[in-house]
Amino acid sequence: MSQPETRAETRAETRADTRADTHRMLITIEYDGTGLVGWQRQNNGPSVQEYLEAAAEKLTSRKTPIQGSGRTDAGVHASAQAAHLDVPTRLTTHAVVNGLNAWLNCPQISVLTARRVGQDFNARFDATERSYLYRILDRRTPSALRRHHVWHHRTKLNVEAMQKAAQYLIGNHDFTSFRATGCQANSPVRTLNSLSVTRLEDEIHIRAHARSFLYHQIRNFAGSLALVGTGKWQAEDIRMVLEACDRTKAGPTAPPQGLYLTEIEYPPESLAQK
Amino acid sequence: MSQPETRAETRAETRADTRADTHRMLITIEYDGTGLVGWQRQNNGPSVQEYLEAAAEKLTSRKTPIQGSGRTDAGVHASAQAAHLDVPTRLTTHAVVNGLNAWLNCPQISVLTARRVGQDFNARFDATERSYLYRILDRRTPSALRRHHVWHHRTKLNVEAMQKAAQYLIGNHDFTSFRATGCQANSPVRTLNSLSVTRLEDEIHIRAHARSFLYHQIRNFAGSLALVGTGKWQAEDIRMVLEACDRTKAGPTAPPQGLYLTEIEYPPESLAQK
């Protein structure tokens, strides 16, 4: 999830890197986070960014940094992460998608689309909304087929109570109670555009939309909403937890494998090629 | 898929094994076939049956054979395979489900339900209908999240043409054209109760229902129906392929990872405890 940085500084670096013979591409990427350390390059294991940058270097025959819209944690999935990179002008969008997929040395990652954008476009700073889905399987027995793709909760959850509780979290709030201790964001205040809890067969789906999120914010929402779903907490308790601005008052952090980054939105003007 | 055997012989063996202090349970099992050699015990790798029988032995402290409704191939999945086993009478259905799952040494297998049945019940011979689903992802780019769970077909398929073609296969036919050379069934004649082709977002779902199937029958259907979906074959060509009774006239065998055993049906009288 997005980390604070000086936008002006990053823009300057980006410009210095831009060569006359390249154009900028916005790509969308699907990945299965199982066994990966997350989006961002790290020393302790394989990351999505590392695999993609290796593929891009093969495709373009030069070092090609790839800037994502934000980080995702180890084990977290994406159905459509967004990122930008600069490629030689001879490469069409079709060649970028097929070329990256052909060079990707990891079947857990797939490039879905590419689109030409202006040289100033930035996948991280231009994003106006980030969407996530958190999937909970609430049944007695574990799922063999979905074992890496849902949080398995052994008792049935009350979806109506969870949906009611979610309403207290929507809007502009200090989300300290749902923020991981390691969060590097300057401010715990965020605006949650929407948060919904619905049932789809044997799963409960929590969908969250905001310009940006704090570290572990959605997994912490899921952990607390599940407590409401069990009946241990009332829906109204979520408001008190939120107002306490105290991480110890909220529920546990739900595990990473239930979380999916599903969409990054950009305003049309940021996508236009100037 | 079911292999021929003398029913009377198997019944006799079953009776000899039955002890007075056991009762028979019908269980349903979900499994992810990725990396497994299939349902049946084999010398070349881990099977679902082997894992389940090891768990049952731990749970009951005695050798406990588990008889499935039929085989599934290496890499094929099940959302609800059925099988029967005899367990000590002290074990309730709840204890069987929880106990087997606790002892199962493989997260790719999960026991979903258990139900007491009569001592004569046989998961293989009493089954009156078997249901399968075959999933095809028809889009240009591969799916990272579903890479082990669909057949990836790189071009769009015409679902209406496939559905039209499927109608020619329904009913009682000699299915030699869709039968693998290794098939051990005495007869190539089967009655296909239904076969439907529908679209669900970016996937094509083929659903097949019959009392029993020939070896590779559904994967061979999928391979031929995909040829209709591309436009290479007309829907009517499927009828000629069927009537040719010649495996070489049909399409290729679709890969195992798109196939799911979804349901086994038993008549109420076979489930009753006599």
Side-chain angles (χ1 to χ4, degrees):
Chain A
M1 308 197 190
S2 69
Q3 302 299 319
E5 234 180 72
T6 314
R7 182 179 170 127
E9 231 170 62
T10 311
R11 287 275 193 208
E13 276 168 33
T14 306
R15 255 188 236 111
D17 283 349
T18 306
R19 304 182 191 200
D21 62 340
T22 66
H23 50 195
R24 187 156 288 188
M25 291 273 182
L26 163 64
I27 59 173
T28 58
I29 309 119
E30 176 186 345
Y31 51 86
D32 181 333
T34 313
L36 300 176
V37 296
W39 166 264
Q40 183 123 331
R41 254 180 198 283
Q42 286 183 53
N43 293 327
N44 60 336
S47 64
V48 180
Q49 191 182 28
E50 185 181 335
Y51 275 116
L52 277 172
E53 289 181 345
E57 186 171 342
K58 290 280 192 184
L59 178 66
T60 62
S61 306
R62 58 173 76 151
K63 286 265 177 219
T64 303
I66 297 186
Q67 165 81 61
S69 72
R71 300 179 183 184
T72 55
D73 288 338
V76 169
H77 315 294
S79 55
Q81 164 71 294
H84 77 259
L85 72 166
D86 294 323
V87 298
T89 51
R90 65 180 163 81
L91 290 176
T92 62
T93 55
H94 196 85
V96 167
V97 172
N98 287 3
L100 288 175
N101 282 331
W103 285 110
L104 261 170
N105 200 13
C106 178
Q108 288 180 231
I109 306 169
S110 176
V111 175
L112 303 180
T113 61
R115 164 180 188 150
R116 263 200 70 188
V117 288
Q119 294 299 106
D120 263 350
F121 176 83
N122 187 293
R124 181 167 159 202
F125 297 114
D126 289 342
T128 49
E129 189 170 84
R130 292 166 167 85
S131 302
Y132 284 87
L133 162 66
Y134 195 95
R135 291 169 59 185
I136 307 175
L137 172 70
D138 63 331
R139 69 177 197 195
R140 185 159 60 104
T141 54
S143 170
L145 285 158
R146 289 171 281 172
R147 68 195 184 285
H148 296 309
H149 296 126
V150 292
W151 174 26
H152 177 217
H153 194 282
R154 283 167 196 278
T155 58
K156 274 281 162 219
L157 296 171
N158 179 342
V159 67
E160 288 78 19
M162 293 170 75
Q163 167 66 4
K164 195 177 162 198
Q167 304 316 303
Y168 294 109
L169 299 169
I170 297 171
N172 186 264
H173 300 289
D174 178 331
F175 285 105
T176 296
S177 297
F178 300 98
R179 175 193 198 182
T181 45
C183 182
Q184 293 167 41
N186 289 325
S187 162
V189 176
R190 288 292 182 274
T191 302
L192 188 62
N193 298 338
S194 78
L195 185 67
S196 69
V197 187
T198 54
R199 177 173 290 286
L200 187 71
E201 296 171 9
D202 56 4
E203 292 186 17
I204 286 186
H205 287 185
I206 303 172
R207 291 178 188 276
H209 305 268
R211 183 177 195 109
S212 67
F213 290 92
L214 300 166
Y215 191 43
H216 284 184
Q217 190 176 352
I218 299 161
R219 290 168 57 188
N220 290 340
F221 282 170
S224 287
L225 290 173
L227 286 173
V228 173
T230 60
K232 209 167 186 173
W233 284 4
Q234 298 302 303
E236 297 71 29
D237 292 340
I238 287 286
R239 194 175 59 179
M240 288 188 294
V241 167
L242 176 68
E243 288 171 356
C245 292
D246 177 353
R247 177 73 194 100
T248 66
K249 293 283 187 289
T253 306
Q257 75 273 10
L259 187 59
Y260 296 73
L261 173 55
T262 56
E263 197 185 355
I264 308 293
E265 265 191 32
Y266 298 99
E269 61 274 21
S270 86
L271 294 169
Q273 298 164 47
K274 283 139 204 161
Chain B
M1 310 198 188
S2 69
Q3 302 297 316
E5 232 178 74
T6 314
R7 183 180 170 128
E9 230 171 62
T10 312
R11 287 276 192 208
E13 277 167 33
T14 305
R15 256 186 236 111
D17 283 350
T18 306
R19 305 183 192 198
D21 62 339
T22 66
H23 52 195
R24 186 155 290 186
M25 291 272 182
L26 163 63
I27 58 172
T28 57
I29 310 121
E30 176 186 346
Y31 50 87
D32 181 333
T34 312
L36 300 175
V37 298
W39 167 264
Q40 183 123 331
R41 254 180 197 284
Q42 284 184 53
N43 293 326
N44 61 334
S47 65
V48 180
Q49 192 182 27
E50 186 181 335
Y51 276 116
L52 278 173
E53 289 181 346
E57 187 173 339
K58 291 279 193 185
L59 177 65
T60 63
S61 304
R62 59 173 75 153
K63 286 267 175 214
T64 303
I66 297 186
Q67 165 81 60
S69 72
R71 300 180 184 183
T72 54
D73 289 338
V76 169
H77 316 293
S79 55
Q81 164 72 294
H84 76 258
L85 72 165
D86 294 324
V87 298
T89 51
R90 65 177 163 81
L91 291 175
T92 62
T93 55
H94 196 85
V96 167
V97 171
N98 286 4
L100 288 176
N101 283 332
W103 285 110
L104 262 169
N105 200 12
C106 177
Q108 288 180 231
I109 305 170
S110 176
V111 176
L112 303 181
T113 62
R115 163 180 189 149
R116 262 200 71 189
V117 287
Q119 293 299 106
D120 263 352
F121 176 84
N122 187 292
R124 181 168 159 200
F125 296 114
D126 290 341
T128 48
E129 190 170 85
R130 292 167 166 85
S131 302
Y132 285 88
L133 163 66
Y134 196 95
R135 291 169 60 184
I136 307 174
L137 172 71
D138 63 330
R139 70 177 198 194
R140 185 158 62 105
T141 54
S143 170
L145 285 158
R146 288 171 281 172
R147 68 196 183 284
H148 296 309
H149 296 125
V150 293
W151 174 25
H152 177 219
H153 194 284
R154 282 168 197 278
T155 58
K156 273 280 163 221
L157 296 170
N158 179 341
V159 67
E160 289 79 18
M162 293 171 74
Q163 168 65 3
K164 196 177 162 198
Q167 305 316 302
Y168 293 110
L169 299 169
I170 297 171
N172 185 263
H173 299 288
D174 178 331
F175 284 105
T176 297
S177 297
F178 300 98
R179 176 193 197 182
T181 45
C183 183
Q184 294 166 41
N186 290 324
S187 163
V189 176
R190 287 292 183 275
T191 301
L192 188 63
N193 298 339
S194 77
L195 186 68
S196 68
V197 187
T198 53
R199 176 173 290 287
L200 187 71
E201 296 173 7
D202 56 5
E203 291 188 18
I204 286 187
H205 288 186
I206 302 172
R207 290 179 188 275
H209 306 268
R211 183 178 195 108
S212 67
F213 290 93
L214 300 166
Y215 190 43
H216 283 183
Q217 188 176 352
I218 299 160
R219 289 168 57 189
N220 290 340
F221 283 170
S224 287
L225 289 173
L227 286 173
V228 173
T230 60
K232 209 168 188 174
W233 284 6
Q234 297 302 304
E236 297 72 27
D237 292 340
I238 287 286
R239 193 175 61 179
M240 290 189 290
V241 166
L242 175 68
E243 287 171 357
C245 290
D246 178 353
R247 177 73 192 100
T248 66
K249 292 285 186 287
T253 305
Q257 76 274 9
L259 187 59
Y260 296 74
L261 173 55
T262 56
E263 197 184 357
I264 309 292
E265 264 191 33
Y266 298 99
E269 61 273 21
S270 86
L271 294 171
Q273 299 165 47
K274 284 140 205 160

